[in-house]
Amino acid sequence: MTPNPASRILCYGDSLTAGTSPPLNELFPYGPHLENEIQNLMTFSSLLSTSPPAVVRWRGLPGWTSSAMEEYIDDPNVGLRSAVNEVSNPSLSLVIILAGTNDIGMLTSSALSGVVDVKKAVEPILNLHRSCLECDSFIRTLAVGIPGSAWQESNENARVLCRGMNEALSEFASDGSCSSGRVSYVDFPSEFERGSCGGRKWCGDGLHLTPEGYETLGRGIASSVINALERII
């Protein structure tokens, strides 16, 4: 019997997908931790008997907003749609999208900025999901909620915008008429914290994760990834 090919997963996003962790120069993407945790959890999942191991790859673009990701969606080097289309035999099973942190910073950084239109702010992220669904009738996507940050703690508009964007992502996933039932949502697994407790997971810049934080991220969303994969099989 010919074994089924591995489920292929692509993580796409900004520096939180790339694994930026200042002041360290090395990258610490959550992708490898996600792959390892999926294997661990599959021991207790029905997937073990029906599916081979998952292979996780990632493309992180530090400093990029979701609007820029949408603009360059077909770029052969950085584009999401190009990344999805170049994978075949088998094609991708799931695309995980974690974006929006830089959008919030850009949209609320001006001293003159007021309340930002949530619908306009989140639309580029939704379009990234839509583009994946259009590429393949079997592909699914997982939206990871935008995490908190030091900037959000000090800026109410940023905090309100983050909450509104996450609510919009969750609603998009739950609305089958919009997502065709192929989009899932999961909250970011770690609350932003300062001090000794949060310092183990968050860098001093109040934005990026420590290596331990990226491990927590990968492990924290693994069960949601498995649930999405089980819906495919």
Side-chain angles (χ1 to χ4, degrees):
M1 179 182 294
T2 302
N4 292 326
S7 298
R8 294 188 177 186
I9 300 170
L10 173 66
C11 307
Y12 188 84
D14 50 35
S15 57
L16 295 178
T17 297
T20 304
S21 188
L24 301 174
N25 292 322
E26 185 180 352
L27 296 177
F28 301 88
Y30 72 84
H33 302 293
L34 171 61
E35 183 174 287
N36 290 336
E37 187 66 8
I38 288 173
Q39 312 314 319
N40 292 336
L41 293 176
M42 280 170 60
T43 304
F44 307 99
S45 168
S46 61
L47 276 173
L48 185 63
S49 59
T50 60
S51 174
V55 175
V56 179
R57 296 294 181 263
W58 54 92
R59 178 174 289 182
L61 308 173
W64 281 54
T65 61
S66 62
S67 56
M69 295 174 190
E70 182 185 14
E71 181 179 356
Y72 288 87
I73 197 167
D74 291 311
D75 185 279
N77 297 312
V78 299
L80 174 58
R81 186 153 53 201
S82 66
V84 172
N85 286 331
E86 71 184 17
V87 179
S88 60
N89 297 319
S91 58
L92 289 168
S93 298
L94 182 70
V95 177
I96 302 169
I97 299 176
L98 170 54
T101 295
N102 295 316
D103 299 78
I104 292 173
M106 180 188 69
L107 294 170
T108 61
S109 60
S110 171
L112 299 177
S113 63
V115 177
V116 180
D117 187 324
V118 172
K119 183 177 180 180
K120 290 183 178 179
V122 78
E123 190 67 14
I125 305 178
L126 301 184
N127 286 337
L128 293 176
H129 285 273
R130 294 183 182 111
S131 71
C132 293
L133 302 183
E134 292 168 356
C135 287
D136 190 308
S137 60
F138 294 101
I139 199 169
R140 294 183 182 274
T141 66
L142 174 65
V144 181
I146 305 166
S149 66
W151 173 243
Q152 291 176 37
E153 284 197 341
S154 64
N155 186 289
E156 182 179 1
N157 286 335
R159 188 165 57 252
V160 171
L161 180 58
C162 181
R163 183 168 61 248
M165 291 176 71
N166 283 338
E167 290 174 352
L169 289 171
S170 178
E171 291 171 2
F172 177 77
S174 61
D175 187 347
S177 64
C178 293
S179 64
S180 303
R182 292 191 283 145
V183 180
S184 303
Y185 172 84
V186 60
D187 286 322
F188 196 86
S190 300
E191 293 287 338
F192 176 75
E193 296 181 79
R194 289 186 180 275
S196 58
C197 179
R200 294 197 298 268
K201 296 180 182 178
W202 297 90
C203 293
D205 66 357
L207 180 64
H208 296 98
L209 297 170
T210 63
E212 179 180 338
Y214 285 113
E215 179 179 356
T216 299
L217 170 57
R219 296 181 64 182
I221 67 172
S223 60
S224 295
V225 170
I226 288 177
N227 288 338
L229 292 175
E230 286 179 328
R231 292 167 63 187
I232 297 173
I233 297 172

